[in-house]
Amino acid sequence: MVHCVAFGCNKKSDSGNKGFFLFPSDHVYREKWIKAVKSCREIDGKLTSFQPSKTSRLCIRHFTDDCFIHPPSVMSSLSLSLKLQLVKTAVPTVFPEVTAAKESKRPLQPCSLGPTKRKRISYGAYEKRNRKATVEELIKKQEEENAENVEARLEDEEADGSISSAVYHKSLKFVSRAAQTTERVVLQPTETKGFQIRPQVSERGVTARPVMTEAMCGPELAPPPVDKCYQFPEERAENNEEASDDDKDAFDNSIVTDPDWEPDNSDISTDEEGHEELWHDCTEEFPVNPTKERKFIVFESCLQQLLLLCQICGSTSKILKKKVVGTMLTVEAKCELGHFRTWCTQPVINGTPVLNLLTAGAIVFSGGSASKVINMFKFINVSCISRRTFNRIQRIFVIPTIANVWKREQQAILEDCRAREIRVGGDARCCSPGHTAKYGSYTIMDLETGKVLVVELVQSNEVNNSNAMELEGLKRCFTHLENNALTVTHITTDRHLQVRKYLREEKPGVNHWFDGWHLAKNVKKKLCALGKKKGCETVGKWAHSISNHLYFCAASSGGEGDEVQQKWLSILNHIINKHEGHGEKFPKCLHGPIEREWITAGSKADKELKLVIANNRLLSDIKKLSPAEQTSTLEAHHKVVCQFASKFISFSYPVMKQRLNLAALHTCFNADREQAVTKAGTPRYRVSYPKYKAGRHVVKPIKKMARMVNSDLFAASIQAKLDTLH
C-alpha cells in the first residue's frame, strides 16, 4: 500500500504507486519539499521532525499546474494522454489547512486510544491510527463550523432575496432545483481555507460540483469546475476489457477537482518484473553538437498529437501548413486564441537542415550507396533527401571535408617519417576487374607502422591503356614523397614488369623486393594445375608444402639471393626423399625424420615438377624475395577500399578520389589496434577458413573494435557550413 506522507492527507492506493511522487534526490529541492510539508509529528508525547524515507511520497493534489511539464488540466480538456511529469524545480505548495500537533490546543495522547503495550519511538501502526483519529476529528470540527457559517449566510441572503437557484440545508444536502436531484456531499481538503464539497451523484448527467470557501455565499458565485479524466497509457494499451467495479472506484479516486493532479514517473511504468521502461526527462539539456544528439524516427500521426496543443496558452491548435524539405518537416499552426507558431523537426544552419547535411555525409563516410539508402527510406515511406540534394551536398561540403581532413592527417604522418629511412610497400588497385578499368589507384604504405603515406588516382584516359595506370600511379607517389623530403630505402611490390624496369633504371638507390605472397600464390596455382594431370596426382599433395617452403626460403636467408635460390632448389631433392647435397650455402635439410608419400625420381611427376620449380624467370625473381616486410597489410587496406569504393558502383573522379582518401583515413586510425583480451586478461583468438586454404583453418588474433573517423568528419562538415556564414 502506498500513502501520502503529507500531514492531514489520507490519500492512499492499494493498486500501486500511481499518483504519488518520490522526494527528489537533489539535496536543495529535497529540503524544500521537507520544509513545505512542515510536519512535526507527536509520538508518545514528543514532537518529532519529519524525515522522509526512500519510499516516502506525496500525492499529486499537493502540486499546482506550473509544477508540471504538461498542465494536466489542459491535457484532460483535450483528451490527450501525454506523459505527465514534474519539472525539476517543482515544489509542493498545496496542503490542507489542518492544525499540526505542534499547534494543537488539545493534542492526542496515546492514552486516548487505549493503553499501549510498549513504547513506540518510530512510525508504525500507532502513528497511522493517531493520524486518522486527528484528521477525523478536524474534519468533524470543520463540518460543524461550515454548517453554522452556511446557515448564517443563507439567512442573510434570503432576507435580501439574493438566493433563487439553490438552498443549503443543515444536513449539508445540496438541492438543485433545475435537476431536482439530491446529492450527498463529501468534503475533501484543498489549498484554500475550508474544504471542497464534491457531490457524489448516482444519476448520470449531473456534473454540479459546488465549492464552499469562506468568501462564498452561494453556488452562483462558485468558480467553474474543471473536470479531469486522465487514463494512464498502460491501462489503455494493455487492458481493453471493461473495468471492474473495483477498478472504477480506484479510478474515481484519481479524478479530483484540484487542477494540480498529475501522475509521476512511477504511474506510467509497468510493475511487471523484467519489463522496466526507461523514461527520460523532457527538460534534459541536450548537447549542442547536432552530430552527437540522438535522433528518432517518428510517425506523422504521433507527431501531430504534439502539435495540436498550444505551448503558450494550452488551447487547441490548428495546423495551417506543412512543408517537407528532405528530412525536415516545418509546421505552421495557430491556436484558438490566435497564437501563431512555426515549428521545425530539426535545427537549420544557414538555410540547410542539419539532418540533410548529416545524411549525405553519413552515406559517404560509411561507404554506402546513395541510391540504396534513398530507396531503403522510400520502402518504409520515411522522408529523405533526393539524389540531386545528395549530389549537391556531397560536392559542396562532403568532398572538401574529406580532402581537408586527409591532408591534415597525411601531413602529420609524413612529418613523423622524415626523421628516419622508411621501408614502404606499393600496390595498385583497379576500379573493376579485367583490363577495361576506368580508374587505377596506387597506394604507398609504411610497412613498419602500417599507415598509408600516399594515394594517387589515375584515370585510364590519362595514359595509353589501363595496364599503364599502375606505373603512372607509382611515379606520382614517388614524386609526392620526394617533394616532402622523405627517404625511401626499400620498397616491396609485386612482379609488375613496368614497375621493375622503372625502379631499376630511375631509382637505383632504392632496394626493390618482391612480395612473397604474390610469388607463392603463382607457384601454388601452377602446382595445383599440374596435380590434375594423369600421372602427376602426387604433385597436388605437395603443392601446399612447396608454397610454405618458399616463405621459409625468404625469411631464413636475410636477403641473400644465392642462399634463397639454393634453399628453393633443395625442394627437388627433398620430394624424392634426398635430404643432403643441396649446395654450399644449404648443404642439407634442417628437419628430422619424416614420413611422406615421396615422388619417384625420374617419373613424369618429377620431370614436370622440375619445369615449374627450376623456371629461369622464377629463379631470377626468387632471389629478390622480401626477407621481412610483406604487403599483406597493404592487401588488407585494399579490402577496406572495397568497403568505401565498391568495384560494382561507378563514381565520378572527385568522389572516387575522396573515397580512397576516406579508406586511407580509416586504415591510419586503426593501424595501431591492439589484440583484444578477455576480462581475465587472456588474449583472444578466432578460427578462420580463408579461401586460399581450400577448407583448412587458420588461427588469427582478434583485435579491438575498429575506430571510425566519422565524428571528426561530421564536425568538419558542420564547421564548413558555418564558415559560409562569414
Side-chain angles (χ1 to χ4, degrees), residues 284-335:
E284 178 183 358
E285 295 183 0
F286 292 100
V288 179
N289 189 351
T291 62
K292 296 182 179 180
E293 183 178 348
R294 295 190 304 171
K295 294 93 178 168
F296 301 92
I297 296 179
V298 184
F299 281 73
E300 186 176 7
S301 58
C302 299
L303 194 62
Q304 190 169 353
Q305 294 181 5
L306 298 176
L307 302 176
L308 293 177
L309 185 65
C310 180
Q311 287 188 338
I312 301 176
C313 62
S315 59
T316 307
S317 298
K318 181 180 180 182
I319 298 177
L320 303 178
K321 183 180 179 181
K322 293 182 180 179
K323 183 179 179 181
V324 179
V325 181
T327 60
M328 184 183 72
L329 172 65
T330 304
V331 179
E332 296 180 0
K334 186 178 181 181
C335 71

Side-chain angles (χ1 to χ4, degrees), residues 493-510:
T493 67
D494 55 12
R495 297 188 298 164
H496 195 278
L497 294 178
Q498 297 178 4
V499 172
R500 294 171 64 179
K501 181 181 179 181
Y502 169 77
L503 293 174
R504 183 176 64 252
E505 297 178 356
E506 302 294 335
K507 304 294 179 183
V510 179

Side-chain angles (χ1 to χ4, degrees), residues 228-302:
K228 299 190 179 304
C229 183
Y230 179 82
Q231 187 175 1
F232 294 101
E234 69 272 17
E235 291 180 351
R236 184 170 52 197
E238 299 176 3
N239 187 11
N240 295 327
E241 301 178 358
E242 185 177 357
S244 61
D245 295 337
D246 296 338
D247 295 336
K248 293 179 180 179
D249 294 339
F251 185 73
D252 289 339
N253 291 334
S254 64
I255 305 178
V256 296
T257 55
D258 193 329
D260 301 323
W261 184 90
E262 181 177 0
D264 61 354
N265 295 341
S266 58
D267 296 336
I268 51 179
S269 62
T270 177
D271 294 331
E272 298 180 5
E273 295 183 2
H275 295 78
E276 297 181 357
E277 295 186 56
L278 181 61
W279 292 87
H280 295 277
D281 189 359
C282 297
T283 62
E284 178 183 358
E285 295 183 0
F286 292 100
V288 179
N289 189 351
T291 62
K292 296 182 179 180
E293 183 178 348
R294 295 190 304 171
K295 294 93 178 168
F296 301 92
I297 296 179
V298 184
F299 281 73
E300 186 176 7
S301 58
C302 299

